[in-house]
Amino acid sequence: MYRIFTLFLLLVAVTASAQDKDKLFGTSEKHEAKHGFILAANGNFDLPGGNIAKEFGLSYRLGPAILYKTTKNWVFGAKSDFILGNIVKQDSLMINIRDKYSVANSTHVYEFINNNGEREGVPIYERGYMIALQAGKIITLNQKHPDNGIVLLTSAGFIQYKIDIYNDNKDIPELQGAYL
């Protein structure tokens, strides 16, 4: 085993010393900016404001994006995000259909009496999606690498959200069919 390890280290050392220095660490010459498509994955935290802050708390957005970068470092594209949240602040939600002893606690679970006469907790979530067009600019920090830098993007699009009442057992009459 010791001989194999020594042979492996020797091969790595010989291979590393045989590399062309410019190809290994890059050249000092200036590169030209490139154009092309960028596939990206988005992940965001959303802290709502205004009227929607009365209904929801912190949520998350996850989704793909496709962008096109020009040689002048302008970026254009589209994205879509799936909205996930578990903080629903509406205190009047289901007030007329839950039993009088049910209180929404910190985990946002409402209690109902199911078909078997047992108390069952039903969690609620924020769900939704966003579709948007994006545009922005890459601000180059190093002229040797014009494709690298800080990306400033803005989006304009459509957001739709809903409250998801998760009744997985489907045994609460108030949360079935048209009542839901």
Side-chain angles (χ1 to χ4, degrees):
M1 183 68 180
Y2 176 74
R3 289 182 187 167
I4 294 173
F5 183 69
T6 305
L7 181 62
F8 176 73
L9 286 179
L10 183 62
L11 287 173
V12 169
V14 169
T15 305
S17 65
Q19 296 291 325
D20 184 10
K21 185 177 181 182
D22 287 340
K23 289 183 181 177
L24 185 61
F25 296 107
T27 61
S28 59
E29 65 190 40
K30 182 179 175 184
H31 296 284
E32 295 296 322
K34 295 177 178 63
H35 65 90
F37 286 96
I38 301 169
L39 296 175
N42 297 321
N44 301 301
F45 293 105
D46 290 336
L47 186 61
N51 289 337
I52 201 161
K54 296 174 186 174
E55 297 181 26
F56 299 110
L58 181 70
S59 62
Y60 316 96
R61 284 189 289 132
L62 302 169
I66 184 164
L67 302 168
Y68 181 77
K69 181 191 164 299
T70 66
T71 55
K72 301 289 185 188
N73 282 348
W74 287 100
V75 180
F76 304 97
K79 74 174 191 170
S80 93
D81 291 336
F82 183 65
I83 300 171
L84 305 162
N86 63 351
I87 301 173
V88 179
K89 297 180 180 178
Q90 291 183 353
D91 58 350
S92 64
L93 184 67
M94 299 186 282
I95 196 167
N96 294 326
I97 61 173
R98 62 182 186 219
D99 75 64
K100 67 180 183 177
Y101 301 108
S102 175
V103 176
N105 55 24
S106 62
T107 60
H108 304 285
V109 174
Y110 291 91
E111 293 181 342
F112 291 88
I113 304 297
N114 65 16
N115 289 337
N116 299 327
E118 301 167 336
R119 187 173 299 280
E120 183 176 337
V122 176
I124 57 174
Y125 304 104
E126 174 190 8
R127 294 293 184 257
Y129 65 92
M130 174 183 176
I131 299 172
L133 297 176
Q134 292 183 306
K137 176 92 168 138
I138 298 175
I139 299 171
T140 303
L141 300 176
N142 184 349
Q143 295 302 324
K144 291 181 184 177
H145 304 286
D147 291 329
N148 298 343
I150 298 173
V151 180
L152 300 175
L153 281 175
T154 187
S155 299
F158 176 77
I159 295 178
Q160 183 171 351
Y161 65 92
K162 69 175 186 169
I163 296 173
D164 183 23
I165 301 170
Y166 187 69
N167 178 20
D168 59 341
N169 293 333
K170 307 282 189 249
D171 61 351
I172 300 173
E174 295 92 342
L175 300 178
Q176 292 178 353
Y179 296 121
L180 182 60

